[in-house]
Amino acid sequence: MPLIRCLGPIRLPSSYRQYMRVEAAHLKRRNAFDCHLQFDQELLPDPSYEDYEHLISRTHHFRNGEVVQVAKPLVCQRLTKQLAAFYGGRQHHLVMASVEMPVHTDQRDDQINSTVLLIPYQASHLHFLQVEDERRQLLPNRIYAFNHYREHALVYDCEFGSSSSSKPLSVLKVRFDRMAKNSRTNTQGTAS
């Protein structure tokens, strides 16, 4: 069985696409100052959670003293229903921007399913997802599934490496709460 599975095409909501463009631009701008490319990840607010209001915006601080506040889109219920066809459990939508990410494993959490979905919005032909010894080019508007508790990396496959001029990847990462045995699929639970 492959370590990285492509589950087919999908179109992200326009509110997600707009936010991802803005976040990729802010990451690129920060990296122009720092010359050190890192990833950025933000959880989108879900109105079905209590106290979701503290997640509705984020603030960027730049070295020149400029502060920019950006409104985040709410979790799209239409997209949540589409993705529920693949995996059950409450969904957490995280927007990520990065050029590359070294090999790592995500911290184990017994409440989170081991399989995550990645849906690239913007990617260059140099972006690859690597899970253990398997590597796959990331194409925009495709759903990729993999076990995030295995060693994985985001590879920018350029002979000169990455720089502040490298194109960042914009991707939606979807995590699923692990469902209790014998329970029905629940994509609209309440916050604990």
Side-chain angles (χ1 to χ4, degrees):
M1 183 172 189
L3 298 174
I4 305 167
R5 291 168 289 142
C6 183
L7 303 179
I10 195 164
R11 183 165 170 81
L12 291 172
S14 61
S15 60
Y16 281 39
R17 295 191 313 263
Q18 180 180 352
Y19 179 68
M20 292 167 103
R21 280 192 300 269
V22 168
E23 288 301 286
H26 285 142
L27 177 74
K28 195 162 180 62
R29 184 171 170 206
R30 276 202 327 269
N31 290 338
F33 287 117
D34 294 339
C35 294
H36 179 65
L37 298 167
Q38 298 179 356
F39 80 98
D40 198 5
Q41 178 173 277
E42 277 292 313
L43 180 65
L44 298 183
D46 186 339
S48 66
Y49 275 124
E50 292 178 16
D51 300 326
Y52 78 94
E53 293 89 0
H54 75 279
L55 294 172
I56 61 173
S57 66
R58 73 169 304 188
T59 304
H60 292 280
H61 299 272
F62 296 101
R63 279 194 175 175
N64 63 359
E66 185 180 355
V67 178
V68 177
Q69 189 158 1
V70 181
K72 296 193 286 187
L74 297 177
V75 167
C76 176
Q77 297 308 313
R78 182 181 53 80
L79 179 63
T80 298
K81 288 177 185 174
Q82 281 181 284
L83 298 177
F86 297 109
Y87 296 97
R90 180 179 197 87
Q91 298 177 22
H92 306 272
H93 293 193
L94 297 102
V95 170
M96 291 179 54
S98 180
V99 171
E100 60 187 350
M101 194 178 304
V103 174
H104 67 286
T105 56
D106 292 350
Q107 183 176 351
R108 280 202 180 270
D109 183 338
D110 292 335
Q111 304 301 315
I112 302 293
N113 193 317
S114 61
T115 300
V116 296
L117 303 180
L118 282 187
I119 306 171
Y121 168 58
Q122 296 174 316
S124 82
H125 66 285
L126 300 173
H127 280 118
F128 291 81
L129 174 63
Q130 182 169 327
V131 178
E132 293 181 355
D133 60 352
E134 185 176 321
R135 185 182 282 200
R136 187 159 193 170
Q137 183 179 5
L138 291 174
L139 300 173
N141 304 310
R142 301 286 188 281
I143 304 170
Y144 298 93
F146 71 98
N147 182 333
H148 65 123
Y149 296 143
R150 292 179 179 258
E151 283 191 344
H152 61 280
L154 174 61
V155 178
Y156 188 75
D157 196 4
C158 176
E159 63 181 295
F160 306 113
S162 61
S163 70
S164 61
S165 64
S166 300
K167 179 179 179 178
L169 171 79
S170 297
V171 65
L172 178 67
K173 176 181 175 182
V174 182
R175 296 185 318 205
F176 296 85
D177 284 348
R178 190 179 300 276
M179 294 176 16
K181 290 184 180 179
N182 300 325
S183 73
R184 295 177 55 111
T185 301
N186 176 16
T187 60
Q188 297 297 320
T190 58
S192 50

